[in-house]
Amino acid sequence: MSKTDLYELAIPSTSVFSKACGGNTHPDGESCVTLVKICEGAWALGDSKRPDASPLRFTTAELSAAGIDPARFGLST
């Protein structure tokens, strides 16, 4: 699946983003991201402080390479 293909995938309207926080805090609150599985092998990663911003899209391999484990969000690959 190419990066272009990921952005052509719709995030299902029934999707619920799971949130994980990194523990580092800023004056405007703790740093957190949200994650949802779009389909097999495809994920959307958002910023909890900017829920209106379009989430970035990643493959499972890309998440793994970045050290992001969906299990930390209570999600399975």
Side-chain angles (χ1 to χ4, degrees):
M1 181 175 304
S2 75
K3 201 61 156 166
T4 302
D5 293 341
L6 289 175
Y7 284 90
E8 292 175 0
L9 296 173
I11 298 172
S13 61
T14 57
S15 296
V16 177
F17 280 80
S18 297
K19 183 168 131 177
C21 300
N24 48 342
T25 57
H26 301 278
D28 58 345
E30 188 172 21
S31 296
C32 303
V33 295
T34 58
L35 185 69
V36 69
K37 191 174 196 174
I38 301 171
C39 67
E40 191 62 37
W43 303 84
L45 184 74
D47 181 346
S48 66
K49 289 188 180 81
R50 296 183 53 212
D52 56 322
S54 295
L56 301 174
R57 312 293 179 96
F58 297 95
T59 65
T60 301
E62 289 170 328
L63 284 181
S64 180
I68 300 170
D69 182 1
R72 180 157 182 222
F73 296 81
L75 303 169
S76 63
T77 56

